[in-house]
Amino acid sequence: MSQRSIRAWYLTHKWTSLVCTLFLLMLCVTGLPLIFHDEIDAATGHGVSATGQASSGNGPGLISLDAMLARALRDRPGEVPLFMAFDNDRPAMTVTTGPTPDAPGADMHLQLLDRSTGRPIRVEGGGITDFLLQLHTDMFLGLKGELFLGAMGLLFVAAIVSGVVLYAPFMRKLDFGTLRTGRSARVKWLDWHNLIGIVGLAWMTVVGVTGVVNSFVTPITKVWQANELADMTRAYAGRPPVPPSRYGSLDIAMATARRAIPGMNPQFIAFPGGNFSSGHHYAVYFQGNTPLTERLLTVALIDAETGKLTDARPMPWYFKALSLSRPLHFGDYGGLPLKLLWAALDLFAIVVLGSGLYLWLGRRRVGVAAHVREVASGAAVPAE
């Protein structure tokens, strides 16, 4: 590789790293406890402890969906239903309401209910993981924060790629894993930075890319609405939205959806007027029965007035990519052993980011040309 190419890659690595490092450190620090969000919620009393049959079933021990919705609305007079979500391991379910069918997230109210008794399940506060998740997702800035962190993720991926390109010529005269402990502090930290970075390369790339995908959830949803959802509801174009007073039976809609999509578990129902439905339909979202397919959704649109099926189809490829990116990002799909591995690799990333910041602070008085020579010579000419 020529010195001109090395210089270009070095400057790319330097500036992409510098711009995103502080934000990536924040994401790594907040992401570490989020890997264990289920365990933390359970330990702090914010988890759901109800046991029994799944809330998405229709067995004799479960209260009907219509009755559960009526109980939820009774406690929120003047509001309309937005979502009803199910737990496929226990009879706990959630009902989300708001002042209007298109209410923003800030105006939504969520009730956690026991479908076997109809009683609310008390959960104290939002829990520390809710705070960390919002900080990790959008820094409390909404869509602007999501897109900004997505841009930082893209810079992180660019820093990884440029770092790998520089790693090859830099290490050509050194054995893999060499730590020059007899040299200066900068050289020792540089060797640790390179070693931990290359060991955690695959994981950091996966987490970086999936983090970028997760940050575009709002634009991805809008693309789905403008294309697939519009195509599924083309026959309803131009009709006024169905008012909540004319919503039909949820139990009939669910039975219709189950016949259209057999062998899958319902995950949630989106009511008319929201981002995940149309102005005329109950959108019933189903998930598969395996650790992989439970992340992939299939939607059935049921006419909210008549209870008849309008259309049913899997979510498009880009929505599947979004659905699969979250478990890959947080490592919460393979039990505690995978979570521990994700946590260890997250610590690796913190060391890489911290050491990179240390190296930059310690080498500001050294010119770019000296660093280029260091890489080009295979670490034979130190930039110190």
Side-chain angles (χ1 to χ4, degrees):
M1 185 184 296
S2 68
Q3 289 202 11
R4 175 177 292 183
S5 296
I6 291 174
R7 178 186 178 88
W9 282 110
Y10 170 78
L11 290 175
T12 299
H13 185 69
K14 174 183 177 180
W15 290 110
T16 54
S17 300
L18 285 178
V19 171
C20 72
T21 289
L22 291 179
F23 296 101
L24 264 295
L25 279 171
M26 181 274 292
L27 292 174
C28 286
V29 171
T30 56
L32 186 59
L34 288 174
I35 296 171
F36 303 99
H37 63 93
D38 290 330
E39 291 80 2
I40 292 174
D41 286 345
T44 56
H46 298 287
V48 179
S49 59
T51 59
Q53 59 183 310
S55 66
S56 60
N58 54 0
L62 298 178
I63 299 173
S64 70
L65 299 181
D66 291 327
M68 292 299 299
L69 179 60
R71 295 187 185 197
L73 293 176
R74 184 179 59 199
D75 294 333
R76 303 294 299 180
E79 295 190 347
V80 297
L82 305 177
F83 297 98
M84 177 178 284
F86 308 102
D87 190 320
N88 287 304
D89 296 318
R90 50 185 69 88
M93 65 183 301
T94 60
V95 177
T96 304
T97 59
T100 60
D102 59 349
D107 294 336
M108 295 181 184
H109 179 81
L110 187 146
Q111 298 179 61
L112 185 61
L113 305 170
D114 187 336
R115 195 178 170 192
S116 63
T117 65
R119 297 172 182 169
I121 300 173
R122 297 190 180 278
V123 178
E124 298 180 4
I128 184 62
T129 56
D130 287 353
F131 172 83
L132 291 175
L133 181 60
Q134 190 166 358
L135 178 61
H136 188 90
T137 302
D138 61 13
M139 300 187 299
F140 301 95
L141 297 175
L143 178 59
K144 293 180 180 179
E146 291 177 1
L147 296 178
F148 176 80
L149 291 178
M152 294 301 101
L154 288 173
L155 290 178
F156 180 53
V157 174
I160 292 172
V161 172
S162 57
V164 171
V165 172
L166 293 171
Y167 182 81
F170 182 84
M171 292 294 294
R172 71 177 185 274
K173 294 182 180 180
L174 298 173
D175 294 331
F176 178 79
T178 296
L179 298 174
R180 294 168 289 176
T181 56
R183 302 285 294 277
S184 66
R186 190 196 77 82
V187 171
K188 287 185 286 188
W189 273 109
L190 178 61
D191 289 344
W192 276 113
H193 179 82
N194 289 337
L195 176 60
I196 297 176
I198 205 67
V199 169
L201 170 65
W203 180 85
M204 286 188 286
T205 303
V206 167
V207 170
V209 171
T210 55
V212 171
V213 174
N214 281 324
S215 70
F216 289 100
V217 57
T218 300
I220 287 174
T221 302
K222 290 185 179 298
V223 170
W224 173 75
Q225 287 178 305
N227 293 281
E228 278 73 15
L229 183 60
D231 183 59
M232 295 172 73
T233 59
R234 197 170 305 279
Y236 291 79
R239 298 188 191 181
V242 177
S245 60
R246 288 162 51 189
Y247 290 173
S249 168
L250 273 180
D251 292 290
I252 293 175
M254 178 62 76
T256 302
R258 283 185 179 276
R259 287 193 297 270
I261 307 176
M264 301 183 74
N265 298 319
Q267 187 184 72
F268 70 95
I269 299 173
F271 286 77
N275 288 338
F276 288 89
S277 184
S278 76
H280 317 89
H281 293 88
Y282 294 130
V284 186
Y285 289 82
F286 288 83
Q287 61 185 132
N289 298 313
T290 68
L292 176 61
T293 59
E294 70 179 6
R295 309 288 179 173
L296 303 177
L297 301 178
T298 300
V299 59
L301 294 183
I302 310 299
D303 188 298
E305 285 190 278
T306 66
K308 295 181 179 180
L309 176 71
T310 296
D311 199 351
R313 62 178 71 174
M315 299 298 279
W317 68 268
Y318 52 85
F319 222 108
K320 291 179 180 178
L322 175 64
S323 300
L324 291 174
S325 67
R326 181 179 173 85
L328 286 174
H329 188 74
F330 288 108
D332 58 358
Y333 63 94
L336 185 59
L338 186 64
K339 292 183 179 183
L340 293 173
L341 175 61
W342 244 240
L345 292 169
D346 186 275
L347 293 173
F348 276 23
I350 291 174
V351 172
V352 171
L353 293 167
S355 61
L357 186 61
Y358 166 80
L359 290 169
W360 177 75
L361 292 172
R363 67 180 9 175
R364 285 178 297 172
R365 293 184 295 273
V366 181
V368 173
H371 296 303
V372 172
R373 289 194 299 271
E374 182 182 30
V375 175
S377 66
V381 180
E384 54 180 341

Short mmCIF file of all heavy atoms in Angstrom, two decimals, residues 26 52 55 90 96 100-102 109 116 137 143 185 191 230 290 298 323 356 375:
data_model
loop_
_atom_site.label_atom_id
_atom_site.label_comp_id
_atom_site.label_asym_id
_atom_site.label_seq_id
_atom_site.Cartn_x
_atom_site.Cartn_y
_atom_site.Cartn_z
N MET A 26 -20.92 6.35 25.35
CA MET A 26 -22.22 6.44 26.02
C MET A 26 -23.10 5.24 25.66
O MET A 26 -23.74 4.64 26.53
CB MET A 26 -22.91 7.75 25.64
CG MET A 26 -24.27 7.97 26.30
SD MET A 26 -25.67 7.22 25.39
CE MET A 26 -25.71 8.24 23.91
N GLY A 52 -49.01 -18.97 34.29
CA GLY A 52 -50.21 -19.59 33.74
C GLY A 52 -50.15 -19.63 32.25
O GLY A 52 -49.11 -19.45 31.64
N SER A 55 -51.35 -15.22 27.38
CA SER A 55 -52.46 -14.27 27.26
C SER A 55 -52.99 -14.21 25.83
O SER A 55 -54.07 -13.70 25.60
CB SER A 55 -52.00 -12.87 27.68
OG SER A 55 -51.02 -12.37 26.78
N ARG A 90 -47.25 -16.14 29.63
CA ARG A 90 -48.05 -15.95 30.84
C ARG A 90 -49.28 -15.13 30.50
O ARG A 90 -49.33 -14.52 29.42
CB ARG A 90 -47.21 -15.27 31.93
CG ARG A 90 -46.48 -14.03 31.45
CD ARG A 90 -45.57 -13.46 32.52
NE ARG A 90 -44.46 -14.33 32.79
CZ ARG A 90 -43.29 -14.28 32.12
NH1 ARG A 90 -43.14 -13.40 31.14
NH2 ARG A 90 -42.31 -15.09 32.41
N THR A 96 -52.72 -0.27 25.45
CA THR A 96 -52.24 1.11 25.34
C THR A 96 -53.37 1.99 24.83
O THR A 96 -54.03 1.66 23.83
CB THR A 96 -51.05 1.19 24.37
OG1 THR A 96 -50.03 0.31 24.80
CG2 THR A 96 -50.50 2.61 24.31
N THR A 100 -56.44 10.25 21.19
CA THR A 100 -56.90 10.13 19.80
C THR A 100 -56.25 8.89 19.18
O THR A 100 -55.23 8.40 19.68
CB THR A 100 -56.51 11.36 18.97
OG1 THR A 100 -55.07 11.50 18.98
CG2 THR A 100 -57.14 12.63 19.53
N PRO A 101 -56.80 8.37 18.07
CA PRO A 101 -56.22 7.18 17.44
C PRO A 101 -54.79 7.37 16.96
O PRO A 101 -54.03 6.40 16.87
CB PRO A 101 -57.16 6.90 16.26
CG PRO A 101 -58.47 7.48 16.68
CD PRO A 101 -58.12 8.70 17.46
N ASP A 102 -54.38 8.61 16.66
CA ASP A 102 -53.01 8.86 16.20
C ASP A 102 -52.17 9.59 17.25
O ASP A 102 -51.25 10.35 16.92
CB ASP A 102 -53.03 9.68 14.91
CG ASP A 102 -53.73 11.03 15.07
OD1 ASP A 102 -54.39 11.23 16.12
OD2 ASP A 102 -53.65 11.86 14.14
N HIS A 109 -50.89 5.94 27.23
CA HIS A 109 -50.92 5.37 28.58
C HIS A 109 -51.01 3.85 28.47
O HIS A 109 -51.85 3.33 27.73
CB HIS A 109 -52.11 5.90 29.37
CG HIS A 109 -52.20 5.32 30.76
ND1 HIS A 109 -51.45 5.80 31.81
CD2 HIS A 109 -52.94 4.29 31.25
CE1 HIS A 109 -51.72 5.09 32.89
NE2 HIS A 109 -52.62 4.17 32.58
N SER A 116 -56.26 -13.54 33.18
CA SER A 116 -56.97 -14.59 33.89
C SER A 116 -57.91 -14.03 34.96
O SER A 116 -58.86 -14.70 35.37
CB SER A 116 -55.97 -15.56 34.54
OG SER A 116 -55.18 -14.88 35.51
N THR A 137 -31.42 4.94 22.90
CA THR A 137 -32.13 4.95 21.61
C THR A 137 -32.12 6.31 20.95
O THR A 137 -31.83 6.42 19.75
CB THR A 137 -33.58 4.48 21.81
OG1 THR A 137 -33.57 3.17 22.39
CG2 THR A 137 -34.31 4.45 20.48
N LEU A 143 -37.02 11.56 17.13
CA LEU A 143 -36.48 11.16 15.82
C LEU A 143 -35.13 11.80 15.54
O LEU A 143 -34.23 11.15 14.98
CB LEU A 143 -37.47 11.53 14.72
CG LEU A 143 -37.04 11.22 13.28
CD1 LEU A 143 -36.77 9.73 13.11
CD2 LEU A 143 -38.09 11.69 12.29
N ALA A 185 4.47 3.95 26.97
CA ALA A 185 3.06 3.72 27.30
C ALA A 185 2.20 3.81 26.05
O ALA A 185 1.24 3.06 25.88
CB ALA A 185 2.59 4.72 28.35
N ASP A 191 -0.77 -1.30 21.01
CA ASP A 191 -0.84 -2.75 20.80
C ASP A 191 -2.11 -3.33 21.40
O ASP A 191 -2.75 -4.22 20.79
CB ASP A 191 0.39 -3.42 21.39
CG ASP A 191 1.66 -3.14 20.59
OD1 ASP A 191 1.53 -2.69 19.43
OD2 ASP A 191 2.76 -3.36 21.11
N ALA A 230 -50.28 0.60 2.10
CA ALA A 230 -51.15 1.27 1.13
C ALA A 230 -51.68 0.28 0.09
O ALA A 230 -52.84 0.35 -0.33
CB ALA A 230 -50.39 2.40 0.44
N THR A 290 -40.37 -20.27 16.96
CA THR A 290 -38.98 -20.61 17.23
C THR A 290 -38.22 -19.34 17.62
O THR A 290 -38.69 -18.23 17.36
CB THR A 290 -38.32 -21.24 16.00
OG1 THR A 290 -38.20 -20.25 14.97
CG2 THR A 290 -39.14 -22.42 15.49
N THR A 298 -45.88 -11.43 10.73
CA THR A 298 -46.86 -11.53 9.65
C THR A 298 -48.11 -10.80 10.12
O THR A 298 -48.56 -10.97 11.25
CB THR A 298 -47.19 -12.99 9.33
OG1 THR A 298 -46.00 -13.66 8.93
CG2 THR A 298 -48.21 -13.08 8.22
N SER A 323 -36.49 -6.15 12.39
CA SER A 323 -36.92 -7.06 13.46
C SER A 323 -35.77 -7.92 13.96
O SER A 323 -35.68 -8.21 15.16
CB SER A 323 -38.07 -7.95 12.96
OG SER A 323 -39.18 -7.18 12.57
N GLY A 356 -8.38 4.35 22.16
CA GLY A 356 -8.25 5.22 20.98
C GLY A 356 -8.26 6.68 21.36
O GLY A 356 -7.48 7.49 20.81
N VAL A 375 2.96 3.22 10.08
CA VAL A 375 2.16 2.17 9.48
C VAL A 375 2.87 1.56 8.29
O VAL A 375 2.95 0.34 8.13
CB VAL A 375 0.78 2.72 9.05
CG1 VAL A 375 -0.03 1.65 8.32
CG2 VAL A 375 -0.01 3.21 10.26
#
